[in-house]
Amino acid sequence: MVLGDFAMLAADTARTKAYLHAMIQENILPGMCVVYSDSISKMQDDARKYGNARNTNQYFDISTPVLSFLEEAGIPYEFVKNKDINSEQMECAIQNLQQKYMIYSGYGGYILKPHLFRLGKRYIHVHAGILPKYRGSTTAYYSFLQEKIFGATAIFLSEGIDEGEIIAYDTFEVPKEPVDIDYIYEPYMRARVLIKVMKKYFSDGEFISYRQSTEGAETYFIIHPVLKHIAMLGIKKEQDNMKSDGGGRGDCNIYTAGGDH
């Protein structure tokens, strides 16, 4: 199933791989993909060496090259040799896309500049935290330390950081088994929210989004290594407790815009 109104802006990252894995798994694909990187030739070499084999696991196979996912799914794609989302090359590529909705899976540290919002596109970004309560960076760890949960929120990007209209969000509990939070579990959570967004659009033919409240909004900065270590110890303790209880809780609770917030 192809959503013709959707294109993907795909950096060479774990998040992009998680998104593509989930799309293939759920058979719900964008109509086009713009792959952007400073190392396009390396991406091509990696895909040639890897072939079509792909390991399956509970989350996604981070070792699979981005281009291998795209080839497997048959998603049309083009290259931009520049990792800066705000470059003239990317502006031109985005402007030439027929699709209205851009699934943004970019490199860390880049913020969309105003000129991209004047192209008539809407940029869908999945933030690794429940908004507006957890804006900013490394919010997965902050939300665990405060509430012992994780979360992800899909928004339409705006010029304010993590301030765009909310499309959907999910809350996730601690994974039952040890897993890399930064490179596996966080991208996986974002991917699950993205799939909910795409399925909702397919069923409804439109988006229902709502503005964020300013009440309780908090912006966080990159977590201090000591706090991160405390969070990791807490996650391990939760996992040990689940094992001693002989099972554990479900992985997530699902929420979407238009229902109870």
Side-chain angles (χ1 to χ4, degrees):
M1 177 169 58
V2 176
L3 295 183
D5 292 337
F6 284 65
M8 185 174 180
L9 308 178
D12 188 13
T13 63
R15 188 195 317 173
T16 294
K17 295 176 183 183
Y19 285 0
L20 291 171
H21 173 93
M23 291 173 184
I24 293 170
Q25 192 177 50
E26 299 290 340
N27 190 31
I28 185 164
L29 308 173
M32 183 64 184
C33 182
V34 177
V35 179
Y36 67 108
S37 169
D38 288 340
S39 304
I40 295 296
S41 59
K42 183 181 183 303
M43 294 182 70
Q44 293 172 318
D45 288 342
D46 289 345
R48 280 193 290 267
K49 293 173 184 176
Y50 189 83
N52 295 322
R54 179 159 62 87
N55 298 322
T56 57
N57 55 44
Q58 184 179 358
Y59 302 107
F60 68 98
D61 181 13
I62 196 171
S63 68
T64 301
V66 168
L67 300 185
S68 295
F69 280 113
L70 292 171
E71 292 289 347
E72 177 185 345
I75 300 172
Y77 61 90
E78 63 183 68
F79 294 118
V80 170
K81 191 177 181 181
N82 196 320
K83 71 180 296 184
D84 184 355
I85 185 65
N86 297 298
S87 68
E88 290 184 10
Q89 298 99 310
M90 281 301 294
E91 180 182 10
C92 182
I94 293 169
Q95 189 171 32
N96 289 335
L97 289 170
Q98 297 180 351
Q99 290 80 9
K100 177 181 180 180
Y101 300 108
M102 306 287 109
I103 299 168
Y104 177 58
S105 181
Y107 295 99
Y110 288 89
I111 298 172
L112 271 65
K113 293 183 179 179
H115 67 278
L116 294 182
F117 293 101
R118 295 194 288 266
L119 299 178
K121 311 294 185 181
R122 303 206 74 182
Y123 302 91
I124 299 171
H125 169 62
V126 185
H127 171 72
I130 296 298
L131 294 173
K133 194 172 184 180
Y134 295 100
R135 292 173 176 166
S137 180
T138 54
T139 48
Y141 296 104
Y142 290 110
S143 64
F144 173 78
L145 286 170
Q146 295 187 46
E147 302 183 62
K148 291 190 175 180
I149 62 169
F150 300 108
T153 308
I155 61 173
F156 286 122
L157 284 176
S158 66
E159 294 185 33
I161 298 176
D162 297 333
E163 295 179 6
E165 291 186 359
I166 292 174
I167 308 167
Y169 69 92
D170 293 5
T171 59
F172 297 76
E173 295 182 344
V174 174
K176 297 180 179 67
E177 299 293 335
V179 61
D180 188 308
I181 300 297
D182 295 315
Y183 291 99
I184 301 295
Y185 198 58
E186 183 186 284
Y188 164 79
M189 291 188 291
R190 297 191 200 217
R192 297 320 307 168
V193 174
L194 177 62
I195 291 300
K196 294 295 176 182
V197 168
M198 295 176 76
K199 285 185 174 181
K200 185 70 173 172
Y201 183 83
F202 177 76
S203 64
D204 295 351
E206 62 180 352
F207 280 115
I208 300 173
S209 59
Y210 60 95
R211 291 183 180 180
Q212 293 186 39
S213 169
T214 57
E215 183 177 351
E218 190 72 39
T219 300
Y220 293 85
F221 299 94
I222 295 175
I223 195 166
H224 190 280
V226 173
L227 277 179
K228 183 174 179 178
H229 181 65
I230 292 171
M232 295 301 295
L233 291 176
I235 292 168
K236 184 179 185 305
K237 183 178 179 181
E238 285 286 299
Q239 291 169 336
D240 291 342
N241 289 340
M242 283 189 278
K243 288 179 181 179
S244 64
D245 290 341
R249 299 163 293 183
D251 283 338
C252 62
N253 299 306
I254 307 301
Y255 302 86
T256 56
D260 294 334
H261 307 318

